[in-house]
Amino acid sequence: MLGMIKNSLFGSVETWPWQVLSKGDKEEVSYEERACEGGKFATVEVTDKPVDEALREAMPKVAKYAGGTNDKGIGMGMTVPISFAVFPNEDGSLQKKLKVWFRIPNQFQSDPPAPSDKSVKIEEREGITVYSMQFGGYAKEADYVAQATRLRAALEGTATYRGDIYFCTGYDPPMKPYGRRNEIWLLKT
């Protein structure tokens, strides 16, 4: 696990493969339309807890799996971004449910190690097309909700996306104090 943290702070980290299809800028919001590759993902689902609390439970499980808590004892390293699906209510607030998605590094895609923790599942996911907007700081639930609202407003009348789910993503380890990168991904319909 220490090697995984060292690599994420000082070394190269594999990025989830995607292709930028277009870029837009409206009302001081810059965004991209991206086609993101599918593949195998380690997932953890948490329900009945607010998003920030659910993340504090789910993220260490994913990090431990990637760091070697698996049947092969292999530290795979991290890929970025780590994403988690959230489910908005009609008023824009988030339901007490989330699902963290960690894309397994390319060299382990064909035969990923089995998780030692039964709450971590390996799932195959199809590619997705998203509208993505970047923002900085240590993001919390309120930040994700506010940024999703901004992205929806920028896309209004020009794009269609799902309203029942969106993804919040992070690129940085928790101990990185400056220059943090987060994104909101709305799923194109």
Side-chain angles (χ1 to χ4, degrees), residues 105-128:
N106 285 331
Q107 75 179 78
F108 299 100
Q109 278 286 314
S110 63
D111 186 25
S116 301
D117 182 336
K118 301 294 182 213
S119 67
V120 179
K121 308 290 183 215
I122 303 300
E123 295 181 21
E124 184 82 24
R125 180 166 147 184
E126 296 295 318
I128 57 175

Side-chain angles (χ1 to χ4, degrees), residues 128-186:
I128 57 175
T129 300
V130 300
Y131 296 102
S132 172
M133 182 187 78
Q134 183 176 329
F135 64 101
Y138 278 99
K140 300 276 188 216
E141 178 176 352
D143 302 308
Y144 290 116
V145 170
Q147 297 298 333
T149 300
R150 288 184 67 218
L151 180 55
R152 282 191 210 99
L155 294 172
E156 192 171 325
T158 62
T160 57
Y161 51 86
R162 289 183 53 183
D164 62 331
I165 184 174
Y166 62 86
F167 288 91
C168 306
T169 69
Y171 287 76
D172 306 300
M175 65 289 292
K176 182 179 177 184
Y178 303 105
R180 298 184 64 78
R181 178 179 176 185
N182 311 293
E183 293 177 344
I184 291 294
W185 290 3
L186 300 180

Side-chain angles (χ1 to χ4, degrees), residues 42-82:
T43 67
V44 175
E45 191 166 340
V46 179
T47 57
D48 299 323
K49 293 183 179 176
V51 168
D52 293 337
E53 184 180 335
L55 274 176
R56 284 192 297 274
E57 179 180 321
M59 290 302 290
K61 292 178 180 189
V62 171
K64 286 177 183 175
Y65 167 71
T69 305
N70 53 60
D71 69 337
K72 297 177 183 172
I74 295 173
M76 295 180 283
M78 295 299 287
T79 59
V80 293
I82 297 286

Side-chain angles (χ1 to χ4, degrees), residues 18-24 32-36 128-131 188:
W18 68 63
Q19 177 183 357
V20 176
L21 303 175
S22 66
K23 293 183 178 195
E32 295 179 339
E33 179 183 359
R34 295 182 188 158
C36 303
I128 57 175
T129 300
V130 300
Y131 296 102
K188 183 177 180 180

